[in-house]
Amino acid sequence: SSTQVAARDSAAASDSSSVSDTNAVRNSLVTPLPVQSDVADSLSAADTLQQGTLEAPAFSTARDSVIEDFSAGRKMIYYYGDVTVKYDKMELTAEYMAYDVDNATVFAKGVEDTAGVVIGKPVMNDGEKTYDMDECYYNFDTKKARVKNAVTKDSEGIMHGAKIKMMPDKSVNVKAGKFTVCDAEHPHYYLRMTTAKVETQPKQKTVVGPA
Protein backbone atom coordinates (compact mmCIF):
# COMPACT_ATOMS: atom_id res chain seq x y z
CA SER A 1 0.00 0.00 0.00
CA SER A 2 1.04 3.65 -0.32
CA THR A 3 1.26 3.88 3.47
CA GLN A 4 3.69 0.96 3.66
CA VAL A 5 5.79 2.31 0.79
CA ALA A 6 6.03 5.70 2.48
CA ALA A 7 6.98 4.00 5.72
CA ARG A 8 9.77 1.97 4.06
CA ASP A 9 11.08 5.00 2.21
CA SER A 10 11.15 7.04 5.42
CA ALA A 11 12.94 4.34 7.36
CA ALA A 12 15.48 3.82 4.58
CA ALA A 13 16.28 7.52 4.47
CA SER A 14 17.26 7.71 8.16
CA ASP A 15 20.95 8.55 8.79
CA SER A 16 23.04 8.21 11.99
CA SER A 17 21.84 11.55 13.40
CA SER A 18 18.18 10.72 12.80
CA VAL A 19 18.68 7.37 14.54
CA SER A 20 19.76 9.12 17.74
CA ASP A 21 16.77 11.45 17.51
CA THR A 22 14.48 8.48 17.00
CA ASN A 23 15.92 6.66 20.00
CA ALA A 24 15.34 9.75 22.15
CA VAL A 25 11.68 9.89 21.14
CA ARG A 26 11.21 6.14 21.60
CA ASN A 27 12.82 6.27 25.04
CA SER A 28 10.51 9.11 26.05
CA LEU A 29 7.55 6.89 25.17
CA VAL A 30 9.05 4.00 27.23
CA THR A 31 7.14 1.46 25.08
CA PRO A 32 5.28 2.09 21.82
CA LEU A 33 1.59 1.90 22.64
CA PRO A 34 -0.19 -0.58 20.35
CA VAL A 35 -3.83 -0.24 19.46
CA GLN A 36 -5.52 -2.48 22.01
CA SER A 37 -7.74 -5.21 20.59
CA ASP A 38 -10.56 -4.54 23.06
CA VAL A 39 -10.66 -0.89 22.04
CA ALA A 40 -10.59 -1.81 18.36
CA ASP A 41 -13.45 -4.25 18.92
CA SER A 42 -15.51 -1.65 20.78
CA LEU A 43 -15.11 0.74 17.87
CA SER A 44 -16.05 -1.90 15.28
CA ALA A 45 -19.79 -2.16 15.86
CA ALA A 46 -22.52 -3.46 13.55
CA ASP A 47 -22.70 -0.15 11.73
CA THR A 48 -19.23 -0.62 10.19
CA LEU A 49 -19.01 0.92 6.73
CA GLN A 50 -18.42 -1.39 3.81
CA GLN A 51 -14.78 -1.90 2.97
CA GLY A 52 -13.62 0.12 -0.01
CA THR A 53 -16.29 2.80 0.16
CA LEU A 54 -13.66 5.40 1.12
CA GLU A 55 -10.02 5.89 0.28
CA ALA A 56 -7.37 4.54 2.63
CA PRO A 57 -6.08 6.88 5.37
CA ALA A 58 -3.18 9.04 4.18
CA PHE A 59 -0.35 9.44 6.70
CA SER A 60 2.29 12.12 6.35
CA THR A 61 5.93 11.13 6.75
CA ALA A 62 6.81 11.51 10.43
CA ARG A 63 9.59 13.91 11.39
CA ASP A 64 11.71 11.37 13.29
CA SER A 65 10.90 7.90 11.98
CA VAL A 66 8.33 5.40 10.76
CA ILE A 67 8.67 1.83 12.00
CA GLU A 68 6.79 -1.19 10.65
CA ASP A 69 6.16 -4.26 12.79
CA PHE A 70 4.63 -7.05 10.72
CA SER A 71 5.89 -9.88 12.96
CA ALA A 72 4.05 -12.51 15.06
CA GLY A 73 0.75 -11.83 13.34
CA ARG A 74 0.90 -8.07 13.98
CA LYS A 75 0.47 -5.41 11.32
CA MET A 76 1.46 -2.23 13.15
CA ILE A 77 3.04 0.97 11.84
CA TYR A 78 4.47 3.45 14.38
CA TYR A 79 4.94 7.12 13.53
CA TYR A 80 7.27 9.26 15.66
CA GLY A 81 7.32 13.05 15.44
CA ASP A 82 4.74 15.52 14.15
CA VAL A 83 2.57 13.17 12.09
CA THR A 84 -0.73 13.91 10.33
CA VAL A 85 -3.33 11.49 9.00
CA LYS A 86 -6.22 12.46 6.74
CA TYR A 87 -9.29 10.38 5.96
CA ASP A 88 -12.36 11.68 4.15
CA LYS A 89 -13.08 15.02 5.92
CA MET A 90 -11.22 14.09 9.12
CA GLU A 91 -7.68 15.26 9.89
CA LEU A 92 -5.75 14.14 13.00
CA THR A 93 -2.32 15.44 14.07
CA ALA A 94 -0.14 14.28 16.97
CA GLU A 95 3.47 13.74 18.00
CA TYR A 96 3.02 9.95 18.05
CA MET A 97 0.65 7.53 16.32
CA ALA A 98 0.32 3.74 16.18
CA TYR A 99 -1.69 2.39 13.23
CA ASP A 100 -3.24 -1.09 13.40
CA VAL A 101 -3.58 -2.06 9.74
CA ASP A 102 -5.91 -5.05 10.23
CA ASN A 103 -8.33 -3.21 12.53
CA ALA A 104 -8.06 0.10 10.62
CA THR A 105 -7.59 1.85 13.98
CA VAL A 106 -5.09 4.54 14.96
CA PHE A 107 -3.95 5.55 18.45
CA ALA A 108 -2.59 9.08 18.89
CA LYS A 109 -1.02 10.91 21.83
CA GLY A 110 1.50 13.56 22.79
CA VAL A 111 5.02 12.92 24.07
CA GLU A 112 6.88 14.33 27.08
CA ASP A 113 9.95 16.39 26.23
CA THR A 114 13.13 16.52 28.34
CA ALA A 115 11.49 19.06 30.68
CA GLY A 116 8.53 16.77 31.28
CA VAL A 117 6.14 18.91 29.23
CA VAL A 118 3.77 17.00 26.94
CA ILE A 119 4.12 18.25 23.37
CA GLY A 120 2.17 17.37 20.25
CA LYS A 121 -1.13 16.40 21.88
CA PRO A 122 -3.68 15.12 19.35
CA VAL A 123 -5.84 17.65 17.51
CA MET A 124 -8.76 16.42 15.39
CA ASN A 125 -10.55 18.48 12.76
CA ASP A 126 -13.65 16.85 11.31
CA GLY A 127 -14.45 19.66 8.87
CA GLU A 128 -16.95 21.29 11.23
CA LYS A 129 -15.29 21.29 14.65
CA THR A 130 -11.81 21.06 16.13
CA TYR A 131 -11.07 18.90 19.18
CA ASP A 132 -7.97 19.23 21.37
CA MET A 133 -7.35 16.07 23.41
CA ASP A 134 -4.89 14.02 25.44
CA GLU A 135 -5.38 10.67 23.69
CA CYS A 136 -7.48 9.35 20.84
CA TYR A 137 -8.45 6.02 19.28
CA TYR A 138 -10.06 6.40 15.83
CA ASN A 139 -11.51 3.68 13.61
CA PHE A 140 -11.35 4.60 9.93
CA ASP A 141 -14.05 2.10 8.94
CA THR A 142 -16.75 3.00 11.47
CA LYS A 143 -15.69 6.66 11.87
CA LYS A 144 -16.01 6.17 15.62
CA ALA A 145 -13.52 7.62 18.10
CA ARG A 146 -12.79 7.25 21.80
CA VAL A 147 -11.16 10.31 23.28
CA LYS A 148 -9.62 11.18 26.64
CA ASN A 149 -9.83 14.75 27.98
CA ALA A 150 -11.11 16.66 24.96
CA VAL A 151 -12.01 20.34 24.52
CA THR A 152 -14.01 21.79 21.65
CA LYS A 153 -15.39 25.26 20.98
CA ASP A 154 -18.36 26.55 19.02
CA SER A 155 -20.45 29.70 18.85
CA GLU A 156 -22.41 28.72 21.96
CA GLY A 157 -19.52 27.93 24.29
CA ILE A 158 -16.75 25.50 25.20
CA MET A 159 -17.27 21.82 25.96
CA HIS A 160 -14.82 19.83 28.10
CA GLY A 161 -15.13 16.05 28.36
CA ALA A 162 -13.10 13.59 30.40
CA LYS A 163 -14.33 10.75 28.20
CA ILE A 164 -15.87 11.30 24.77
CA LYS A 165 -17.17 8.92 22.15
CA MET A 166 -17.66 10.29 18.65
CA MET A 167 -20.25 8.58 16.46
CA PRO A 168 -20.50 8.25 12.65
CA ASP A 169 -23.46 10.68 12.52
CA LYS A 170 -21.24 13.43 14.02
CA SER A 171 -22.98 13.19 17.40
CA VAL A 172 -20.80 13.13 20.51
CA ASN A 173 -21.40 11.30 23.79
CA VAL A 174 -19.77 13.03 26.76
CA LYS A 175 -19.04 11.65 30.23
CA ALA A 176 -17.85 13.84 33.11
CA GLY A 177 -18.16 17.02 31.06
CA LYS A 178 -18.11 20.76 31.62
CA PHE A 179 -19.87 23.43 29.57
CA THR A 180 -18.64 27.00 29.91
CA VAL A 181 -17.98 30.31 28.14
CA CYS A 182 -14.76 30.80 30.16
CA ASP A 183 -11.77 30.13 27.90
CA ALA A 184 -9.29 29.38 30.71
CA GLU A 185 -7.63 25.94 30.61
CA HIS A 186 -9.31 25.27 33.96
CA PRO A 187 -12.54 27.31 33.64
CA HIS A 188 -13.52 29.51 36.60
CA TYR A 189 -17.21 28.68 36.20
CA TYR A 190 -19.05 25.97 34.29
CA LEU A 191 -22.03 23.65 34.20
CA ARG A 192 -20.81 20.25 35.43
CA MET A 193 -22.48 17.42 33.51
CA THR A 194 -22.53 13.75 34.47
CA THR A 195 -23.45 12.81 30.90
CA ALA A 196 -24.39 14.69 27.74
CA LYS A 197 -25.07 14.07 24.07
CA VAL A 198 -24.30 16.68 21.44
CA GLU A 199 -26.21 16.24 18.17
CA THR A 200 -25.56 18.10 14.92
CA GLN A 201 -28.27 16.65 12.68
CA PRO A 202 -30.84 17.81 11.65
CA LYS A 203 -29.70 20.74 13.81
CA GLN A 204 -27.33 21.17 16.71
CA LYS A 205 -28.64 20.53 20.20
CA THR A 206 -27.24 19.27 23.48
CA VAL A 207 -29.13 16.86 25.74
CA VAL A 208 -27.81 16.88 29.31
CA GLY A 209 -28.27 14.36 32.13
CA PRO A 210 -28.07 15.32 35.84
CA ALA A 211 -25.96 18.50 36.07
Side-chain angles (χ1 to χ4, degrees):
S1 68
S2 60
T3 300
Q4 295 172 1
V5 172
R8 288 194 295 269
D9 291 345
S10 175
S14 300
D15 57 16
S16 60
S17 61
S18 63
V19 169
S20 63
D21 292 340
T22 300
N23 290 337
V25 175
R26 294 175 64 185
N27 291 337
S28 70
L29 287 171
V30 181
T31 303
L33 294 177
V35 176
Q36 301 173 9
S37 59
D38 58 338
V39 175
D41 291 342
S42 70
L43 295 178
S44 302
D47 57 353
T48 301
L49 299 178
Q50 293 183 351
Q51 294 288 339
T53 56
L54 295 172
E55 296 180 358
F59 286 84
S60 68
T61 301
R63 181 185 62 241
D64 293 312
S65 66
V66 178
I67 299 175
E68 292 182 345
D69 181 4
F70 286 6
S71 62
R74 292 186 298 267
K75 290 185 179 179
M76 298 294 302
I77 305 176
Y78 300 98
Y79 297 84
Y80 297 89
D82 192 21
V83 59
T84 299
V85 59
K86 296 181 180 180
Y87 186 66
D88 196 23
K89 296 180 181 179
M90 188 280 296
E91 179 178 285
L92 178 66
T93 62
E95 189 69 10
Y96 166 78
M97 292 188 193
Y99 177 42
D100 186 325
V101 178
D102 282 340
N103 290 313
T105 306
V106 67
F107 171 76
K109 77 182 198 89
V111 176
E112 285 191 1
D113 62 14
T114 54
V117 178
V118 178
I119 60 174
K121 289 184 179 182
V123 177
M124 178 186 290
N125 189 320
D126 69 356
E128 299 176 358
K129 288 188 176 182
T130 299
Y131 299 87
D132 298 277
M133 58 195 77
D134 284 351
E135 296 180 357
C136 176
Y137 286 93
Y138 185 86
N139 187 297
F140 296 105
D141 286 341
T142 65
K143 291 188 175 182
K144 288 184 176 181
R146 284 198 172 186
V147 176
K148 179 180 178 182
N149 296 329
V151 179
T152 185
K153 299 179 181 180
D154 59 30
S155 59
E156 297 180 349
I158 303 169
M159 178 78 76
H160 296 247
K163 295 181 179 179
I164 287 182
K165 188 170 184 179
M166 300 176 182
M167 307 302 290
D169 63 358
K170 303 296 184 181
S171 65
V172 176
N173 298 329
V174 181
K175 185 176 182 179
K178 299 175 182 177
F179 183 78
T180 182
V181 293
C182 174
D183 59 3
E185 181 178 357
H186 301 286
H188 299 88
Y189 50 88
Y190 50 86
L191 177 67
R192 184 194 300 274
M193 303 172 295
T194 54
T195 58
K197 184 178 183 68
V198 181
E199 299 179 351
T200 58
Q201 300 175 357
K203 62 180 181 179
Q204 182 163 321
K205 66 177 181 179
T206 302
V207 181
V208 180

